[in-house]
Amino acid sequence: LGNAFLSALTSLVIYFCAKEVFGKKVARIALLFSAVYIDFIWYCGVLMAENLGVLLFTLTVYSVVKNRHPAISGVLLGLTCMAKGLFILSAPALVFWLYYKHKNEGWLKKALIAGAFTFLALLPWNIRNSVFYKDMVVLEPTLGCTVFDGHNPYATGGVDYLFVGTEYGKFYTDPLLSTTEKDRICMQKSIEFMRDNPLRHIPLTLRKLSKQVTLATSFVYYREKYPAREVMYVLALLQNAVLFPLCILGIAFSFRNKNVAGFTAIIAIFVGVFSTLFTAEVRKRMPFLPLLLILAAYGATLLPGIIERVKKGETGELRRPLAVSVVLSALLFLNLVFQVSTRYRDVLQRFQ
């Protein structure tokens, strides 16, 4: 019940974000999308940090969109990172957004104030972690392990842990190592692997990108029993097959909009980081799903007008964004074919 309440609040904040940037029409469609989005419904049934983290992050974005005092945005981002540390990855995108919107209005001062209050909001949590782990810990003591998962001789691009049980990865399950010691070893080994195997990153990055930008639900990782699991999995796939191309359309036709640039930057940074530095886990899409739904709502409002202009042959200024949308959407569906052909057995096993 608590998770359902958090999800409902998230939908409400999505509405206000969309209204502030695009107006009421887009906001209502975004609210509808978020209310029936399978991933949000699915997460209501499990106790996960993402539920609170997504709400707080959406509030952070709304604070930036409304141009609230940067101290408020900073505190909200700090609280968001306490719920889920990976949200700190959005900081560069938020700074870029401040620069793009306020480059002649003291953007650097705003960014520094927001950063300072983010630090202050996180300080008690970091002190607590350092005392608990008896070592210097920022946010979470698992950054090295997260990087190591995607950078080791057995890495496939996904969260497979194939190194566990091998001589190379025996330290990972060594009970004598503390959490922070293991994390340091993971980071050291990751750096060594990246340094000694630079060419391995090209195929690994492509595999990660393929697994990250997929139409599958972000809840696919969950292997426990869940009501109507098969039906909801298929419905999520069908939803994403519509919403993701609409999001691409929304991005392509709003790229020069200063209010929307931050949305696109946040999505790009999360996808980019998890396709390069970490591992491609669809669960990690949760932070930017609210922004994806807003952009998809914007794309949905544009579509009738675009179709009408194409019918009339008035495609002059539409050609470039339409071409980008078509190519990226085509790649999205080609990736679906690739994922189905290579991973269907693994997915089917999760329903047995």
Side-chain angles (χ1 to χ4, degrees):
L1 185 60
N3 282 341
F5 179 70
L6 292 176
S7 184
L9 285 179
T10 301
S11 296
L12 192 60
V13 180
I14 287 173
Y15 169 83
F16 285 115
C17 278
K19 181 183 175 183
E20 188 66 27
V21 176
F22 294 112
K24 285 186 178 181
K25 184 177 181 179
V26 173
R28 288 167 181 163
I29 297 174
L31 178 62
L32 175 63
F33 284 169
S34 63
V36 299
Y37 194 56
I38 295 297
D39 282 27
F40 286 172
I41 296 171
W42 232 332
Y43 271 88
C44 289
V46 292
L47 189 61
M48 302 292 290
E50 278 80 359
N51 293 298
L52 178 59
V54 169
L55 170 61
L56 289 171
F57 182 62
T58 311
L59 283 169
T60 304
V61 172
Y62 180 63
S63 177
V64 175
V65 167
K66 286 286 289 184
N67 197 24
R68 300 294 191 197
H69 194 283
I72 298 174
S73 302
V75 169
L76 285 171
L77 181 59
L79 294 175
T80 303
C81 295
M82 286 174 63
K84 194 72 176 177
L86 67 88
F87 283 96
I88 196 65
L89 297 174
S90 66
L94 293 173
V95 171
F96 162 76
W97 203 351
L98 287 173
Y99 167 75
Y100 196 48
K101 289 182 64 178
H102 307 289
K103 56 185 174 183
N104 297 321
E105 303 171 15
W107 73 271
L108 183 57
K109 180 181 178 181
K110 293 176 184 288
L112 290 174
I113 292 173
F117 276 86
T118 299
F119 173 80
L120 291 174
L122 287 171
L123 187 59
W125 180 246
N126 288 333
I127 292 174
R128 175 264 175 199
N129 283 344
S130 297
V131 172
F132 180 82
Y133 291 105
K134 298 181 175 61
D135 204 343
M136 182 63 184
V137 175
V138 179
L139 290 179
E140 299 175 359
T142 55
L143 175 62
C145 294
T146 305
V147 176
F148 180 71
D149 293 344
H151 297 88
N152 64 79
Y154 301 89
T156 63
V159 189
D160 301 309
Y161 302 105
L162 298 179
F163 55 83
V164 174
T166 67
E167 182 67 20
Y168 178 83
K170 64 180 181 180
F171 75 93
Y172 200 83
T173 53
D174 188 345
L176 299 179
L177 290 175
S178 69
T179 302
T180 52
E181 288 173 330
K182 182 173 73 172
D183 196 58
R184 274 195 290 269
I185 295 173
C186 281
M187 184 60 78
Q188 180 184 349
K189 284 183 172 288
S190 300
I191 294 172
E192 291 172 354
F193 177 78
M194 287 186 276
R195 180 195 64 203
D196 298 337
N197 303 275
L199 295 181
R200 283 281 305 271
H201 291 290
I202 298 174
L204 264 179
T205 298
L206 291 175
R207 291 194 198 111
K208 291 177 185 179
L209 190 61
S210 172
K211 293 180 179 182
Q212 181 78 3
V213 188
T214 174
L215 297 178
T217 170
S218 63
F219 206 72
V220 69
Y221 81 95
Y222 194 73
R223 295 175 180 268
E224 304 299 324
K225 290 184 177 180
Y226 201 97
R229 183 184 179 93
E230 295 87 347
V231 174
M232 293 182 73
Y233 187 90
V234 173
L235 286 176
L237 188 67
L238 294 174
Q239 275 189 340
N240 289 338
V242 174
L243 293 176
F244 282 24
L246 286 176
C247 175
I248 293 172
L249 188 69
I251 290 174
F253 278 87
S254 62
F255 206 74
R256 295 180 181 178
N257 187 326
K258 291 184 177 181
N259 284 324
V260 184
F263 288 13
T264 304
I266 290 170
I267 293 175
I269 282 181
F270 274 107
V271 172
V273 167
F274 283 99
S275 298
T276 53
L277 187 58
F278 300 135
T279 54
E281 185 180 0
V282 286
R283 174 184 168 191
K284 299 298 190 299
R285 287 199 312 231
M286 283 297 288
F288 62 78
L289 283 180
L291 310 184
L292 185 149
L293 294 176
I294 291 173
L295 289 167
Y298 179 56
T301 60
L302 291 175
L303 192 58
I306 292 173
I307 293 174
E308 186 66 26
R309 291 184 66 177
V310 169
K311 286 181 178 179
K312 293 179 179 179
E314 301 172 355
T315 58
E317 62 184 25
L318 302 179
R319 288 180 182 175
R320 183 173 295 179
L322 266 182
V324 171
S325 302
V326 170
V327 170
L328 292 181
S329 297
L331 289 174
L332 191 67
F333 285 99
L334 285 173
N335 184 48
L336 172 63
V337 174
F338 172 74
Q339 289 291 321
V340 170
S341 63
T342 58
R343 301 188 63 202
Y344 72 95
R345 289 190 180 90
D346 173 58
V347 174
L348 289 176
Q349 286 176 358
R350 303 184 187 194
F351 297 125
Q352 294 176 357

